[in-house]
Amino acid sequence: MTLPIEDYAFLGDMKTSALIGSNGDVDWLCLPRFDSGACFAALLGDAGNGRWSMAPAGEHRMSARRYRPDSLVLETEFRSEDGVVRVVDCMPVDAHRTCLIRRVEGVEGRVRMRSEALMRFDYGSIVPWVRKEGRRLHLVAGPDSCYLDSDVEFDVGATDSPVAEFTVAAGESTDFVLIWTPARAAAPEPVDADALIERTDGFWRKWASECTYEGEYRDAVVRSLITLKALTHSPGGGIVAAATTSLPEQLGGVRNWDYRYCWLRDATLTLLTLLESGYTQAAVEWREWLLRAVAGEPAQMRIMYGIEGERRLPELELDWLSGYEGSRPVRTGNEAAQQWQLDVYGEVMDVFHQARDHGIPPQEQAWELQRHLMDFLESHWREPDNGIWEMRGPRRHFTHSKIMAWTAVDRAISGVERFGLEGPAEKWRRLRDDIFEDVCSNGYDPERRAFTQYYGSSALDASLLMASSVGFLPATDERMRGTVDAVQRELCRGGLVERYSMTEATEQVDGLPPGEGVFLPCTFWLVDNLVMQGRVDEGRGIFEHLLSLRNDLGLLAEEYDTDAGRLVGNFPQALSHIALVNSAFELERGRNGPAQRRANSRGG
């Protein structure tokens, strides 16, 4: 049976990632990239879809697990009647290879261990051909090839399921190294597992030491930043939204999406997180990735891209996988990549503005791109779109989208006013005023004293909490106070925020049956608003409640099921960790936090 999402640990090498359960099973590993087919896909099916187990052979229990301090090296201890063993897992940050190392260390007594390497390429659908070469296994099918080196021999009597049993005594260790190569490449040389583990540990500790945050939530901030770094594709700079596909937003439901891509909606928040934390070079790499990805005609700009900027992300359903706890369909690719979302123009304009505002040297092509975006927005901002939540129903005039169009124009004005860039500032000011008036006339309900999800509706939408952080209105404006109050009154469950009003009529808007968990990033946005309104203690209480929802390793998914008391949605979720870091800075600095400074960067 698949474990709860919070029982998984996350490993990554900035090319791809793995999820390892508290039982020692690798249930998810995509090779060689984040968006490649999984060779261990039990997470979305069962053991027959690929799993690599590592645990005592007899009765046992997991007694402790942790990451090494400020590192992404995982240590899991198992206790049996014969003693204690520690499994050390890591994915070395190595430009020359992609591999997963598993070391078994004896801690107490003598423990009999069992490991089963059931590999299935292409999301559990292809049984590889297995060749044994001494203590090396070669597993190959089509374009994919893996070598499994170990200090013990595997029994390949059942060639589709190699098994090794061995004993580890206190003070002894046994190493396993899984290396991916293209099928026609030469066999890789064996690696020094001990040296790679220590080098990987040192890499992460050094990177974490550069974090400038020294507040009371440093451990949570550093763990979130390490997670974001591991979700970054190197050397390109794109950050995937999550390590997984199709972990459900509602257990047993159909809201199961592939998040192994890079979303523009997260662009500015990502940049601010990196800059606030002292990672200027990572912020520069993110900006450069963004510039490459969106290059070309503004009308062709996508809401998301592949990790190298790919635009075609065809959505497919993998019908041979039963889904996480029966949540089907299992999808790869994402049809939302073809949607029209007005808000991404605001995110792109803002990210280049924030980079300049924080002293990152300007990129020559950036302003030229921004001028093209402005020309496009001027004639398209009145069009309905699919909105930030990628609604699969009819396009509508979503209020958040219009506010982000306003943000785009405002940042263009700031480019002229504050940085001396060339552009028709007066024309843009008139355009900004037109959008502002349009939003306040059509997207605000004076009876409810709140902004609504789309023009003419009475539904609420938590994305409108962002209006104060982009500078559309001060957080203390009565319209924003009313919106925050309405969100707390109508969208909160257990003190956590839903994305938008969800009723039986919701399907007409998003094209899906109602039902999902509360959305963790939206709850962090509520924290930011409360702090900007001076309600710091209230915001801190919600923030600390959010911290309590992390798993034992400090990781968050996208959503939380308040009824089941479980994390749901893809995992770990970059946007959740981005929002956590920004809210921690907000609480440390009060009204001078990143959200308020972003709001203050608006044009005159």
Side-chain angles (χ1 to χ4, degrees), residues 210-227:
E210 298 169 5
C211 174
T212 56
Y213 177 84
E214 297 293 344
E216 62 179 303
Y217 304 112
R218 180 174 170 80
D219 288 347
V221 166
V222 169
R223 178 52 53 198
S224 291
L225 289 168
I226 288 173
T227 303

Side-chain angles (χ1 to χ4, degrees), residues 49 56 142 182 209 266 270 296 316 364 404 438 442 463 488 501 567 574:
N49 299 122
S209 71
D266 309 340
T270 302
L316 303 173
E364 185 177 344
M404 292 310 297
D438 189 70
N442 299 298
S463 65
Q488 288 187 289
S501 302
L567 294 174

Side-chain angles (χ1 to χ4, degrees), residues 153-405:
E153 288 195 23
F154 276 85
D155 179 1
V156 295
T159 57
D160 66 341
S161 181
V163 175
E165 292 201 2
F166 57 99
T167 299
V168 178
E172 297 178 346
S173 64
T174 301
D175 291 335
F176 300 79
V177 182
L178 180 69
I179 305 174
W180 178 90
T181 66
R184 292 193 294 169
E189 293 295 322
V191 303
D192 183 337
D194 184 63
L196 281 178
I197 291 171
E198 294 310 309
R199 190 185 310 164
T200 302
D201 187 45
F203 170 88
W204 288 111
R205 285 188 287 106
K206 180 180 183 300
W207 191 84
S209 71
E210 298 169 5
C211 174
T212 56
Y213 177 84
E214 297 293 344
E216 62 179 303
Y217 304 112
R218 180 174 170 80
D219 288 347
V221 166
V222 169
R223 178 52 53 198
S224 291
L225 289 168
I226 288 173
T227 303
L228 292 173
K229 179 67 171 175
L231 290 170
T232 303
H233 185 253
S234 180
I239 301 176
V240 297
T244 57
T245 178
S246 301
L247 288 182
E249 296 170 5
Q250 181 184 40
L251 296 172
V254 300
R255 294 173 180 257
N256 318 315
W257 315 110
D258 194 345
Y259 272 23
R260 298 170 299 158
Y261 307 114
C262 307
W263 264 258
L264 298 192
R265 72 182 182 209
D266 309 340
T268 305
L269 292 175
T270 302
L271 183 88
L272 291 176
T273 298
L274 296 171
L275 290 173
E276 294 288 341
S277 305
Y279 295 102
T280 303
Q281 183 55 40
V284 170
E285 291 170 0
W286 168 240
R287 183 197 63 176
E288 296 307 299
W289 176 90
L290 185 67
L291 186 62
R292 292 194 306 272
V294 304
E297 287 295 319
Q300 296 177 340
M301 194 163 75
R302 297 287 188 255
I303 69 163
M304 71 178 80
Y305 295 85
I307 56 179
E308 289 282 11
E310 298 92 342
R311 298 183 178 216
R312 295 181 183 176
L313 309 175
E315 186 172 296
L316 303 173
E317 295 184 2
L318 309 185
D319 57 8
W320 62 87
L321 290 172
S322 59
Y324 180 86
E325 295 196 11
S327 305
R328 302 184 70 184
V330 173
R331 297 179 173 96
T332 63
N334 202 308
E335 188 179 287
Q338 305 302 318
Q339 288 185 350
W340 156 244
Q341 289 184 21
L342 183 62
D343 64 289
V344 299
Y345 292 86
E347 293 292 353
V348 171
M349 291 292 292
D350 198 22
V351 78
F352 289 120
H353 171 75
Q354 297 299 335
R356 282 191 290 267
D357 198 44
H358 283 75
I360 294 179
Q363 220 288 347
E364 185 177 344
Q365 288 87 10
W367 184 245
E368 181 181 353
L369 169 66
Q370 290 179 271
R371 288 291 304 269
H372 284 299
L373 293 179
M374 287 304 303
D375 291 342
F376 180 79
L377 265 182
E378 189 173 358
S379 55
H380 290 82
W381 73 269
R382 292 185 182 277
E383 295 178 11
D385 75 328
N386 297 100
I388 183 175
W389 305 127
E390 295 156 16
M391 301 300 197
R392 299 198 173 201
R395 291 180 179 177
R396 299 173 187 270
H397 293 282
F398 288 102
T399 306
H400 171 266
S401 297
K402 305 300 187 186
I403 289 174
M404 292 310 297

Side-chain angles (χ1 to χ4, degrees), residues 154 286 289 301 418 487 500 532 548 572 581:
F154 276 85
W286 168 240
W289 176 90
M301 194 163 75
R418 299 178 58 187
V487 166
Y500 48 88
M532 287 191 288
S548 74
V581 174

